[in-house]
Amino acid sequence: MTVHISTPPLEESPCEQSSDPGYASSNSTFLSLRVPPSPTAASLDGETLRSRASSFVSDADTKRSRAYSDVSSVQSRYDGEELTAEEALRPDKIDEKDFEVEDNPFAFSPGQLNKLLNPKSLAAYKALGGIRGLERGLRTNAVVGLSADETNIEDRITFEGATIAGNRRKSISEDDQIRDTYPVVQQGCRALYGDRKRVYKDNRLPAKKSLSIWNLFWNAFNDRILLLLTAAAVISLALGIYEAVGQTPAPGQPRSVDWVEGLAILVAVILVVLVTGLNDYQREKQFVILNAKKEDREVKVIRSGKTVQISVFDVMVGDVIHLEAGDLIPADGILTAGHGLRCDESSATGESNAMKKTTGEEVWRHLEQGTASSKLDPFIISGSKVLEGVGTCLVTSVGVNSSYGKIMVSLQTETENTPLQIKLAKMANWIGYIGSAAAGLLFVILLIRFLLGLSGNAASSAMKGSQFLNILIVAITIIVVAVPEGLPVAVTLALSFATKRMLKENNLVRKLRACETMGNATTICSDKTGTLTQNKMTVVAGTLSTQIEFSREAGLPGGKKRMLSFEEAFSLLSSSVKDLFMQSIAINSTAFEGQEDGKNVFIGSKTETALLMLAKEHLGMGPVAEERAVSAVVQLYPFDSDRKCMGVVIRLSTGNYRLLVKGAAEIMLAIATKHLVDPAGESLEVSSMSALTSNQINLKITDYARQSLRTIALLYRDFQKWPPAGVRVSKDDRQMADFEDVCRGMTFLGVFGIQDPLREEVPYAVKKCQDAGIVVRMVTGDNLATATAIATQCGIKTPEGIAMEGPRFRQLSNTEMNEILPNLQVLARSSPLDKQILVARLKHLGETVAVTGDGTNDAPALKAADIGFSMGIAGTEVAKEASSIILMDDNFSSIVKAIMWGRSVNDAVAKFLQFQITVNITAVILAFVSAVASPSSHSVLSAVQLLWVNLIMDTFAALALATDAPTENILDRKPSPKSAPLITTNMWKMILGQTVYQLVVTFTLYFAGASILGYDVVKNPWLQTQLNTMVFNTFVWMQIFNELNNRRLDNKFNIFEGVLQNKFFLVINLIMVAGQILIVFVGGTAFQITRINGTQWAVCLLCAAPCLAWGVLLRCVPDRWAERGFRAMGSVFFAGYRPVATALAIVCRPARSTCKGVKRLFMRLSGRKGHEANGAADEETTNSAVGAGVTPPVELSRTIPPITLTTMD
């Protein structure tokens, strides 16, 4: 929007005038403040006309609208009033470096500019020469902004040379002012803003220092179990080398090669650490890219007199930024021009009240006249939000030098874990406890056997030590395998993969938890404009006054009357009536002219751009800037989502004032008491609105609405003076009249029907959501007829569904809402409060709610919802900040994509969980039983083999199963409730079923394989090695085949669906297959295996492949049957567990009491002082963490999570 802000001449005394050519006068007529609205604006009914603060300041001869006009008669009172310029800008010790800049071509250092806001200081503002001093010192211009061609700067300006500009008064032309403030740049230099970036930096915050690849390797190695295993492996290697080198083998015996196992374990540990570290590095890299994308956004600045959109990272000190309601302010600055600007600075200063801003020029006037007070606030703080109003500000600090940047740098914290990650971490802990208990039991059994056999053991001391280490290594390796550290990794991998792919499908995930929550959404409350419709609005019909009706196409409303064309209708209007329509459309608007793809277009609210196009084509409207330049705007009423309208007051050439109002048609009709009698007459004759005329217009509005047209009406009223007598006025500014008091007795001008076509893909997307068990509701500001018509077109509204208006909905009691909500499909004429109430009630009923929003007032509903979707095109920065996901294309079908990816993340974790628990149980039981059964206490799966299996489980499988892209079939099932367990009945069925099959096969091969295959392992011990190799090979191949089984979580048979589309899965499985073949052929001594022949390979594969067929059989078992079986098994288990647990508690009670006594005695002996000091230190750490915004670590609950059984039949 191009807003013309006039600055009336300030009263000066002759002594204040100066001939200094560097002085920039405030007497410029009509500053052009091009303020484009947020590209997504919402309607007059709440979806296109965004709530904006007043966009104009008048230069009318009567009185200029000024805030704080009541302070003109009091003495100056503000903090720092008594300070000299030197004292006001004196550096603090911690910031002294910011005041020292080498070869500074500007008048001010970053530190001096920071004194404006650390804290807000009018004294510092005065010391810097006010807005004119800042202009000159920063080599910029408050009207036309930075030069678009600035590179490095050749000339220099001193502090005194800049600040003197603010203290002298001489009117000069705008061209002279620009020439004086713009620097002389180096010719041939291509580095844009080189010196400016060098001195003041850019608007980027330093990224949180991510861990280097070496740190990640170290963190991966720093696992306690891996360290213990490494220590045991080193000792084993040392003993093995001693046996091989330091001892002479018996005659006929080769030298010992036991050192190979220790070396192989070390190599395996290194491999695990490398793979884990690289995996973490890739994940960190992806999240850094996504976070950078999340923080980036476009802002509007003026450069070389043109409004351009640039990345927020490219904002420079000296830039002139446009501000409007809903913006998140990207940098510190001084307000240069604007009207009605109020900011929420609670995030920066803690001040909860909306802070009214005063232009820097006006503050300077009060400072000069000695009437300044602490209430005057020209300071724009980065990180705060614009609540209402429009304006421009001159940037003074960016990036790390800005107030928001300093806070954010000090508060950089680790990424918060998602709920699913926390749940899986708890589950991993408990699985690890169980595995550790099994490993501990195995160690005790094997140690007792070892100790009992020592008396008859004739081996050397080194050999005995090696045997003991083998027992220890096997026990430790079982712990390594049992602890499923891959579970949280799988979630992170799935989230990072999904968020990256979702970005390609126009979903920018701001909060990771939303990605997993979206998959379980049960209801979507969607906006209409731009989300369900194309947001390409065109006026297709209308009624001028009450007599002239026109339409673009036949078949649109018109009854039996002949429809006039646009040209015919507007040719009937007199010039005065045309001017009245022109004012109502062009002046009462926040849209502006700009360029897109090299073409001149209107930019802003789509409703307003449709009306502007109508005025351009049929009312002879010239450039919008020129139309607004000739109108003296006295007051502007921003669009309000509750009253559904906006207005503007202009001063006419006759000296009278005219109020122009534009808004939702039926609401405008309700407050209109008059209408134009003769649109063709020049006198603007009006007549009282009769009941008959009102009914006729209302029928016309209803007809338009039933054709899915948005209806906008225009009203006006003339006043002899402003503000009118007897009306309420603003406390801050006595020239601002209350809207409700003046918007009475209005004259009806006409109504327009605006078409916004439905998106072609929306009906299909809505149908897919409904098939997926998700209820879609439309929440819109349109009237009930329009909303119902469009909801019916896109399949949201069904014959049995309920449609109601927001005002009626919010009057319902909670009980009545609960009864209506299951069938409520359309909420029309809704306000942001209605949306928030709707979300709260749905959540109270147990629904997982997704909601869309684009306006600043939608922020509470977006925050209250489980998943908040803001609009990337039409959304304000406040809405985006409150949301979890940003729809980059504002399209409802992108929400469906988000649902699919959300379900895909949950499925990926469930697949991996099912796979890993199967391997965990099988590997631990197989290693345990075989080690106990072996006379030599050797497990059939050696430590190195178990580490290879662990690598398959924790890394390869996570990568393979977490990267499956969703298919359309993922929407064929109902969403999982919030109470759903991590492991469903179907998953338990597959886990236990596959575990049984794998154990039967491996135990059969291990214990009966020699008999079945006819091997005489007593005479030929190498055959036992071959048999052990077959057991290991079969076990690994069963995991590879079972990984295919785990690609499906339901009871359908096609486990290969979409497998060719997942390149990760194919490549990783090729790596696993190649790795296993390589190990069997060349692993040899390191893996304690030997090569096997073709027949033995066939046996391994024939034993492993039936995993697939077994999976089919398991899927044939109904889940309800499996659930009954599990419940019966659980009853038997707990029947035996409870008395055993009770007996152990009784037996262990004396030991526990003894331990407590010893602990108390130790604490007394060590003294309470040390304990209290530690407690105080802990408390201080916690308090400092809370003070810095960091959440202190919380100990996870030690309670076993309940396992609930759910069926998928």
Side-chain angles (χ1 to χ4, degrees):
M1 143 184 165
T2 303
V3 180
H4 296 278
I5 298 188
S6 67
T7 312
L10 301 178
E11 298 178 4
E12 308 171 2
S13 62
C15 64
E16 290 178 306
Q17 299 181 359
S18 168
S19 60
D20 179 15
Y23 170 66
S25 172
S26 64
N27 295 345
S28 55
T29 305
F30 291 113
L31 283 176
S32 178
L33 180 63
R34 302 171 182 85
V35 183
S38 180
T40 59
S43 83
L44 280 168
D45 47 25
E47 295 181 10
T48 303
L49 286 180
R50 178 130 358 265
S51 175
R52 290 179 171 77
S54 309
S55 311
F56 304 88
V57 177
S58 172
D59 67 343
D61 292 337
T62 52
K63 286 188 178 180
R64 178 172 182 253
S65 169
R66 295 190 185 277
Y68 308 112
S69 56
D70 56 337
V71 301
S72 59
S73 60
V74 299
Q75 290 297 315
S76 174
R77 289 291 182 270
Y78 59 90
D79 293 337
E81 177 186 1
E82 71 287 350
L83 297 178
T84 65
E86 182 181 354
E87 292 171 333
L89 299 178
R90 180 176 296 158
D92 299 322
K93 286 188 178 295
I94 59 173
D95 296 326
E96 286 180 348
K97 65 181 186 304
D98 294 336
F99 288 75
E100 301 169 1
V101 180
E102 184 178 349
D103 190 25
N104 188 357
F106 305 98
F108 310 125
S109 66
Q112 288 172 322
L113 295 173
N114 282 341
K115 297 299 286 187
L116 290 168
L117 288 166
N118 191 23
K120 295 178 183 178
S121 172
L122 289 179
Y125 178 66
K126 184 178 181 180
L128 294 173
I131 203 69
R132 300 306 171 201
L134 288 169
E135 266 187 315
R136 194 167 185 181
L138 297 177
R139 323 304 295 272
T140 185
N141 185 275
V143 179
V144 297
L146 292 176
S147 168
D149 303 319
E150 180 186 318
T151 54
N152 288 343
I153 300 172
E154 288 188 350
D155 60 332
R156 299 291 185 265
I157 186 170
T158 64
F159 181 90
E160 292 76 15
T163 54
I164 197 173
N167 298 307
R168 297 188 177 181
R169 298 279 176 172
K170 179 180 177 182
S171 297
I172 60 174
S173 70
E174 186 175 290
D175 290 340
D176 289 339
Q177 179 184 335
I178 294 170
R179 191 161 44 248
D180 181 64
T181 55
Y182 272 6
V184 178
V185 298
Q186 293 180 6
Q187 299 299 318
C189 179
R190 296 185 178 181
L192 282 175
Y193 308 108
D195 279 333
R196 200 172 291 273
K197 288 181 181 178
R198 176 178 61 82
V199 174
Y200 297 117
K201 313 302 181 187
D202 59 15
N203 202 29
R204 286 176 171 82
L205 295 179
K208 180 173 69 71
K209 188 175 180 181
S210 56
L211 294 175
S212 68
I213 185 70
W214 305 110
N215 289 125
L216 293 171
F217 287 151
W218 176 251
N219 288 346
F221 177 67
N222 245 350
D223 180 80
R224 285 175 296 177
I225 307 300
L226 278 183
L227 289 173
L228 190 57
L229 184 61
T230 302
V234 169
I235 297 172
S236 175
L237 177 62
L239 287 174
I241 293 174
Y242 172 74
E243 289 178 18
V245 177
Q247 291 189 337
T248 304
Q253 295 293 324
R255 285 190 176 274
S256 171
V257 291
D258 287 349
W259 59 270
V260 173
E261 182 177 13
L263 180 62
I265 293 173
L266 290 178
V267 171
V269 168
I270 291 171
L271 183 61
V272 169
V273 168
L274 287 175
V275 172
T276 304
L278 288 171
N279 194 12
D280 290 341
Y281 179 74
Q282 181 64 21
R283 186 182 70 225
E284 289 277 337
K285 191 175 176 182
Q286 286 187 1
F287 280 130
V288 166
I289 295 171
L290 287 170
N291 285 335
K293 179 69 177 175
K294 180 178 70 175
E295 297 300 328
D296 193 12
R297 66 181 191 273
E298 288 193 331
V299 295
K300 307 172 197 69
V301 300
I302 302 175
R303 288 188 177 172
S304 293
K306 295 181 179 179
T307 296
V308 294
Q309 290 188 329
I310 63 172
S311 168
V312 69
F313 299 139
D314 296 331
V315 173
M316 298 283 147
V317 168
D319 262 323
V320 177
I321 300 180
H322 287 302
L323 303 174
E324 62 174 288
D327 281 352
L328 189 66
I329 298 172
D332 293 338
I334 300 294
L335 185 67
T336 57
H339 186 82
L341 197 74
R342 292 180 181 272
C343 297
D344 173 10
E345 298 177 351
S346 57
S347 60
T349 65
E351 175 58 57
S352 58
N353 295 327
M355 304 301 293
K356 182 175 176 62
K357 300 299 175 179
T358 313
T359 63
E361 195 65 63
E362 187 168 339
V363 172
W364 185 259
R365 180 176 68 85
H366 284 296
L367 287 170
E368 284 195 320
Q369 295 178 355
T371 58
S373 76
S374 295
K375 289 184 178 181
L376 294 172
D377 185 1
F379 305 108
I380 303 298
I381 302 180
S382 55
S384 58
K385 305 177 183 71
V386 180
L387 297 179
E388 59 183 61
V390 293
T392 56
C393 82
L394 177 65
V395 174
T396 58
S397 296
V398 296
V400 293
N401 292 320
S402 67
S403 52
Y404 183 68
K406 292 178 182 293
I407 294 172
M408 293 309 294
V409 168
S410 66
L411 291 183
Q412 286 183 339
T413 56
E414 296 296 325
T415 305
E416 182 184 1
N417 284 335
T418 68
L420 189 56
Q421 285 174 317
I422 294 171
K423 284 182 183 178
L424 286 175
K426 290 180 180 180
M427 176 172 281
N429 285 341
W430 278 106
I431 294 174
Y433 296 153
I434 296 171
S436 299
L441 180 60
L442 175 64
F443 178 74
V444 170
I445 292 173
L446 297 183
L447 180 61
I448 291 173
R449 178 193 288 178
F450 172 74
L451 294 175
L452 292 176
L454 275 178
S455 58
N457 192 341
S460 65
S461 299
M463 183 63 70
K464 291 176 182 177
S466 179
Q467 290 172 357
F468 170 77
L469 278 176
N470 287 338
I471 295 172
L472 179 63
I473 287 171
V474 169
I476 295 172
T477 309
I478 286 179
I479 297 176
V480 173
V481 174
V483 174
E485 64 270 16
L487 285 180
V489 173
V491 186
T492 310
L493 282 172
L495 288 171
S496 63
F497 179 74
T499 49
K500 187 176 180 181
R501 294 291 295 271
M502 285 173 73
L503 184 58
K504 294 180 180 178
E505 296 183 350
N506 299 309
N507 284 277
L508 174 59
V509 178
R510 295 188 68 258
K511 299 175 183 176
L512 282 179
R513 63 173 58 224
C515 194
E516 62 191 44
T517 308
M518 191 61 214
N520 297 323
T522 58
T523 184
I524 301 173
C525 301
S526 174
D527 285 337
K528 177 185 74 66
T529 303
T531 309
L532 300 173
T533 61
Q534 297 178 22
N535 206 17
K536 296 178 180 178
M537 300 195 187
T538 311
V539 178
V540 295
T543 301
L544 306 177
S545 183
T546 57
Q547 300 93 5
I548 303 174
E549 299 177 17
F550 63 91
S551 173
R552 177 160 292 177
E553 299 175 1
L556 284 172
K560 296 181 180 179
K561 282 187 178 182
R562 174 184 173 274
M563 284 288 101
L564 298 177
S565 67
F566 279 63
E567 292 75 12
E568 291 173 330
F570 285 97
S571 66
L572 298 176
L573 301 180
S574 67
S575 59
S576 59
V577 173
K578 281 187 177 180
D579 288 343
L580 185 53
F581 273 100
M582 185 92 71
Q583 292 168 350
S584 295
I585 293 173
I587 309 304
N588 189 17
S589 173
T590 56
F592 67 100
E593 284 179 292
Q595 284 194 340
E596 287 184 357
D597 301 326
K599 298 180 181 179
N600 291 327
V601 294
F602 293 112
I603 300 173
S605 156
K606 297 304 179 182
T607 300
E608 294 185 316
T609 58
L611 293 172
L612 287 173
M613 185 58 67
L614 173 74
K616 182 178 181 179
E617 293 175 351
H618 303 291
L619 291 173
M621 183 184 73
V624 175
E626 294 180 8
E627 298 293 340
R628 292 170 178 167
V630 297
S631 299
V633 178
V634 178
Q635 185 173 351
L636 188 143
Y637 296 101
F639 174 80
D640 186 273
S641 55
D642 290 324
R643 60 184 179 228
K644 307 295 183 189
C645 64
M646 65 184 296
V648 65
V649 181
I650 60 175
R651 187 174 65 84
L652 304 175
S653 57
T654 61
N656 291 337
Y657 296 86
R658 177 167 289 166
L659 170 62
L660 304 167
V661 179
K662 173 175 61 179
E666 70 275 17
I667 295 177
M668 296 296 95
L669 180 61
I671 59 178
T673 60
K674 303 173 185 176
H675 66 89
L676 276 179
V677 175
D678 182 14
E682 294 288 344
S683 61
L684 299 182
E685 184 182 350
V686 299
S687 175
S688 297
M689 181 83 70
S690 65
L692 178 61
T693 304
S694 180
N695 287 335
Q696 289 175 344
I697 298 173
N698 193 48
L699 287 174
K700 185 59 61 181
I701 293 172
T702 304
D703 286 341
Y704 290 154
R706 286 174 179 167
Q707 296 294 325
S708 302
L709 301 183
R710 167 168 291 171
T711 54
I712 303 296
L714 307 178
L715 309 178
Y716 85 99
R717 182 183 174 186
D718 288 340
F719 297 87
Q720 290 185 350
K721 67 173 185 175
W722 195 264
V727 301
R728 289 173 294 176
V729 295
S730 170
K731 294 179 181 178
D732 293 330
D733 193 336
R734 309 296 295 178
Q735 302 302 313
M736 296 293 156
D738 183 76
F739 181 79
E740 280 69 24
D741 286 0
V742 296
C743 192
R744 297 177 180 178
M746 304 296 292
T747 300
F748 186 84
L749 276 180
V751 61
F752 299 102
I754 302 177
Q755 187 179 61
D756 185 12
L758 195 69
R759 291 183 184 268
E760 293 181 2
E761 64 274 19
V762 163
Y764 175 75
V766 170
K767 180 68 166 55
K768 291 298 293 182
C769 286
Q770 292 168 342
D771 291 343
I774 302 168
V775 178
V776 182
R777 295 175 170 88
M778 178 194 288
V779 183
T780 177
D782 276 332
N783 67 37
L784 190 59
T786 303
T788 303
I790 294 177
T792 303
Q793 286 181 32
C794 59
I796 293 176
K797 178 70 171 65
T798 59
E800 63 275 8
I802 296 174
M804 69 164 48
E805 292 184 331
R808 181 186 164 203
F809 174 76
R810 75 178 78 114
Q811 298 300 323
L812 299 176
S813 66
N814 289 341
T815 304
E816 291 171 329
M817 282 187 188
N818 295 345
E819 293 174 355
I820 286 175
L821 281 178
N823 296 316
L824 180 65
Q825 295 172 342
V826 179
L827 190 62
R829 282 286 173 245
S830 65
S831 67
L833 177 61
D834 298 326
K835 186 184 288 187
Q836 189 179 357
I837 293 171
L838 176 63
V839 169
R841 289 314 303 169
L842 287 170
K843 288 185 69 176
H844 178 75
L845 294 176
E847 303 277 1
T848 301
V849 184
V851 66
T852 67
D854 56 7
T856 302
N857 292 338
D858 289 328
L862 290 169
K863 271 191 170 295
D866 294 290
I867 314 101
F869 285 92
S870 63
M871 305 295 111
I873 300 172
T876 64
E877 294 306 323
V878 174
K880 293 175 185 177
E881 192 73 15
S883 65
S884 309
I885 299 174
I886 300 175
L887 293 179
M888 305 301 288
D889 60 351
D890 293 9
N891 195 334
F892 184 84
S893 62
S894 296
I895 299 178
V896 180
K897 295 289 186 184
I899 296 170
M900 293 172 63
W901 277 106
R903 293 191 175 189
S904 177
V905 167
N906 292 330
D907 285 359
V909 173
K911 292 172 187 176
F912 180 73
L913 186 60
Q914 182 173 301
F915 173 80
Q916 186 165 48
I917 291 181
T918 303
V919 184
N920 273 34
I921 296 174
T922 309
V924 170
I925 293 177
L926 180 60
F928 186 96
V929 173
S930 61
V932 172
S934 170
S936 60
S937 299
H938 279 85
S939 165
V940 67
L941 299 177
S942 69
V944 182
Q945 292 173 10
L946 285 171
L947 286 174
W948 167 242
V949 171
N950 186 65
L951 191 64
I952 291 175
M953 285 193 314
D954 285 341
T955 303
F956 291 152
L959 282 168
L961 294 173
T963 52
D964 264 336
T967 63
E968 290 288 334
N969 295 336
I970 205 168
L971 295 175
D972 292 342
R973 66 172 192 258
K974 304 301 179 187
S976 301
K978 292 180 180 179
S979 59
L982 287 174
I983 306 178
T984 64
T985 299
N986 185 275
M987 291 171 65
W988 276 120
K989 180 178 69 178
M990 297 300 294
I991 290 169
L992 297 179
Q994 288 290 343
T995 299
V996 169
Y997 175 82
Q998 292 182 21
L999 287 175
V1000 167
V1001 170
T1002 50
F1003 282 152
T1004 301
L1005 275 177
Y1006 181 66
F1007 290 108
S1011 302
I1012 296 172
L1013 298 174
Y1015 293 169
D1016 189 350
V1017 295
V1018 177
K1019 293 182 179 180
N1020 302 301
W1022 54 271
L1023 287 175
Q1024 183 63 53
T1025 305
Q1026 285 188 345
L1027 189 61
N1028 290 347
T1029 302
M1030 291 173 65
V1031 173
F1032 165 64
N1033 196 30
T1034 302
F1035 178 78
V1036 172
W1037 278 98
M1038 281 192 291
Q1039 310 319 316
I1040 294 172
F1041 285 122
N1042 191 40
E1043 190 182 18
L1044 288 168
N1045 268 328
N1046 288 310
R1047 292 191 71 249
R1048 283 208 90 105
L1049 292 171
D1050 53 23
N1051 286 324
K1052 295 180 180 177
F1053 297 149
N1054 185 8
I1055 58 175
F1056 299 100
E1057 182 181 7
V1059 71
L1060 296 178
Q1061 280 71 47
N1062 188 348
K1063 294 179 182 177
F1064 277 103
F1065 186 89
L1066 297 176
V1067 170
I1068 289 165
N1069 275 276
L1070 284 175
I1071 292 173
M1072 287 194 295
V1073 169
Q1076 181 61 22
I1077 293 173
L1078 193 65
I1079 287 170
V1080 173
F1081 275 94
V1082 300
T1085 307
F1087 281 82
Q1088 299 181 16
I1089 57 175
T1090 187
R1091 289 192 180 189
I1092 55 177
N1093 56 37
T1095 304
Q1096 292 167 329
W1097 266 102
V1099 171
C1100 294
L1101 293 176
L1102 288 173
C1103 288
C1107 274
L1108 301 176
W1110 183 247
V1112 172
L1113 290 175
L1114 291 174
R1115 286 184 169 90
C1116 292
V1117 178
D1119 286 351
R1120 57 182 178 276
W1121 292 7
E1123 183 181 1
R1124 291 172 188 165
F1126 294 149
R1127 291 190 183 281
M1129 291 167 57
S1131 300
V1132 173
F1133 172 79
F1134 284 109
Y1137 168 78
R1138 288 191 185 96
V1140 172
T1142 304
L1144 286 174
I1146 294 172
V1147 171
C1148 296
R1149 190 175 297 161
R1152 287 175 60 191
S1153 301
T1154 303
C1155 289
K1156 286 181 180 179
V1158 171
K1159 184 179 178 181
R1160 283 194 296 268
L1161 178 62
F1162 176 76
M1163 288 178 65
R1164 286 174 186 165
L1165 292 174
S1166 61
R1168 303 294 292 181
K1169 288 186 179 180
H1171 177 70
E1172 289 171 1
N1174 291 336
D1178 291 342
E1179 184 178 356
E1180 182 180 352
T1181 301
T1182 303
N1183 291 338
S1184 62
V1186 173
V1190 181
T1191 305
V1194 181
E1195 186 178 354
L1196 296 178
S1197 171
R1198 297 273 178 173
T1199 4
I1200 299 179
I1203 296 177
T1204 312
L1205 297 177
T1206 60
T1207 62
M1208 299 182 68
D1209 284 354

